């Protein structure tokens, strides 16, 4: 598995695993745990979750999946904006750790901006690092102006990751946000990289490129997010077949003709587009 080096020198796999909607229905529980464990075996050892996913149910399921494997995993969770005060962030993190059955997170993110001043949340992140409860922190859904504001806050420059909506249907960050992050060594993490398994995968142009390489549309969608050496990507897969297919996307190399076809169907941005979020 190719890796991305974070600003502190830590290497993480480019392809990780999302968990939104996991743990929500008992019927899929066993299959979801098995899919996450298979993904870990295949090198997708970065697992992304959040306190709001299934109201904690996703974190509990992740905890089950990583039991006995904690040291092999780069574990990411997120604080909800409504909890992101100095005290609230610490309490939310402690509750996440309990649900995940671990003593530390590798990365803790502010899920999106809310009513609490950024300085309060950053101070809480520092408290959590000092207590050994998180190893580093980052943000999510931050556009360039939000990142610039964060850089002005005491300690804000320690932000390691910005998790953003990035896929062929949402190429806006290519215009300004990706270069901004690259320059400051904040790793972008692409969420919904396969368009939530929806209309994107039915686009004929994506199918055409997939057929040229004997791959699937989902794998080509992933190849788009893996195009940049510094970008992480976290597809969510609740079945063994999907997780195996996604892991195999790490090796796809598209050629100039493929990119031309994709650029025509999914044009790159020619001007600033506000960062979209789901
Ligand atoms: P996604 O990963 O683009 O798509 C997931 C959907 O695609 C699921 O329905 C999945 O079905 C299906 N799928 C997976 N692999 C497939 C394959 N090879 N072929 C066909 N379909 C496939 O969407 P996402 O879950 O929204 O985003 C990924 C992760 O990013 C989330 O799980 C979450 O961890 C994170 N996220 C963060 C934010 C944020 O605000 N920070 C927002 C959204 C998402 P099965 O489950 O049946 O396999």
């Amino acid at each position: 598995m190719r890796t991305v080096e974070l600003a502190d020198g830590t290497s993480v796999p480019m392809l990780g695993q999302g968990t939104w909607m996991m743990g929500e229905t008992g019927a899929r529980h066993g299959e979801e745990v098995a899919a996450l464990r298979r993904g870990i075996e295949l090198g997708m050892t970065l697992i992304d979750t959040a306190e709001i996913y299934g109201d904690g149910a996703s974190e509990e399921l992740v905890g089950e999946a990583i039991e006995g494997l904690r040291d092999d995993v780069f574990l990411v969770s997120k604080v909800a904006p409504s909890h992101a005060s100095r005290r609230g962030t610490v309490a939310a993190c402690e509750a996440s750790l309990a649900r995940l059955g671990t003593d530390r997170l590798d990365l803790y993110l502010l899920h999106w901006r809310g009513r609490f001043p950024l300085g309060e949340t950053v101070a809480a992140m520092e408290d959590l690092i000092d207590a050994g409860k998180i190893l580093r922190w980052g943000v999510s859904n931050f556009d360039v102006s939000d990142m610039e504001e964060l850089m002005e806050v005491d300690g804000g420059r320690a932000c390691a990751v910005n998790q953003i909506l990035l896929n062929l249907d949402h190429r806006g960050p290519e215009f300004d946000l990706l270069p901004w992050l690259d320059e400051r060594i904040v790793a972008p993490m692409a969420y919904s990289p396969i368009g939530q398994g929806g209309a994107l995968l039915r686009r004929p142009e994506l199918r055409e490129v997939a057929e040229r390489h004997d791959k699937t549309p989902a794998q080509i969608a992933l190849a788009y997010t893996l195009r940049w050496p510094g970008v992480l990507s976290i597809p969510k897969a609740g079945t063994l077949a999907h997780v195996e297919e996604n892991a195999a996307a790490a090796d796809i190399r598209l050629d100039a003709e493929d990119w031309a076809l994709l650029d025509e169907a999914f044009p790159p941005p020619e001007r600033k587009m506000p960062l979209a979020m789901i």
Side-chain angles (χ1 to χ4, degrees):
M1 181 63 69
R2 284 185 287 154
T3 56
V4 169
E5 195 172 309
L6 302 180
D8 63 9
T10 305
S11 282
V12 285
M14 276 187 116
L15 258 184
Q17 306 187 73
T19 63
W20 189 16
M21 316 247 195
M22 277 192 181
E24 293 189 11
T25 53
R28 293 194 70 178
H29 189 95
E31 197 177 15
E32 289 169 345
V33 170
L36 284 173
R37 290 182 80 93
R38 180 75 181 127
I40 293 169
E41 266 172 22
L42 293 170
M44 297 161 82
T45 53
L46 183 156
I47 298 185
D48 175 77
T49 185
E51 62 168 330
I52 64 166
Y53 296 165
D55 216 4
S58 160
E59 288 181 326
E60 282 171 3
L61 183 130
V62 170
E64 193 179 329
I66 66 171
E67 207 180 328
L69 300 171
R70 175 65 189 93
D71 291 342
D72 300 333
V73 169
F74 187 94
L75 192 55
V76 186
S77 193
K78 313 186 197 78
V79 57
S82 58
H83 290 159
S85 64
R86 187 157 184 175
R87 277 199 193 172
T89 302
V90 172
C93 181
E94 285 167 351
S96 287
L97 291 173
R99 284 189 291 268
L100 287 159
T102 185
D103 60 351
R104 70 196 184 282
L105 293 172
D106 295 282
L107 177 67
Y108 198 36
L109 306 177
L110 171 60
H111 209 145
W112 65 91
R113 280 191 78 168
R115 68 179 193 276
F116 293 107
L118 291 177
E120 264 203 54
T121 313
V122 172
M125 295 294 189
E126 290 174 341
D127 294 341
L128 286 166
I129 288 180
D130 289 345
K133 291 179 179 168
I134 66 171
L135 300 185
R136 53 192 73 72
W137 63 269
V139 293
S140 179
N141 298 302
F142 270 44
D143 208 340
V144 169
S145 57
D146 303 307
M147 289 304 301
E148 280 175 343
E149 226 178 286
L150 180 63
M151 296 300 107
E152 297 304 314
V153 166
D154 268 356
R157 286 171 194 266
C159 175
V161 164
N162 184 10
Q163 189 180 109
I164 52 170
L165 177 59
L166 179 70
N167 62 38
L168 276 168
D169 269 337
H170 293 280
R171 295 184 64 171
E174 284 180 46
F175 185 78
D176 56 347
L177 185 54
L178 291 184
W180 192 100
L181 295 171
D182 186 50
E183 211 168 288
R184 289 153 187 89
I185 328 180
V186 177
M189 189 182 285
Y191 74 69
S192 308
I194 50 179
Q196 304 200 288
L200 172 65
L201 300 188
R202 294 191 291 276
R203 290 284 295 269
E205 303 89 344
L206 201 58
R207 286 175 180 270
E208 189 182 335
V209 175
E211 277 163 21
R212 283 160 55 97
H213 291 267
D214 203 14
K215 300 289 178 192
T216 66
Q219 289 175 314
I220 302 303
L222 284 174
Y224 161 75
T225 64
L226 299 175
R227 181 180 191 178
W228 297 279
V231 175
L232 301 156
S233 186
I234 47 166
K236 176 261 184 182
T239 67
L240 289 180
H242 281 167
V243 84
E244 287 173 0
E245 193 177 311
N246 296 346
D251 300 325
I252 299 175
R253 295 283 184 284
L254 300 183
D255 59 29
E257 205 179 322
D258 298 320
W259 288 121
L261 273 168
L262 292 172
D263 282 349
E264 208 179 312
F266 307 94
E270 288 175 354
R271 61 191 152 74
K272 167 74 188 162
M273 319 272 283
L275 181 63
M277 71 179 275
I278 291 179

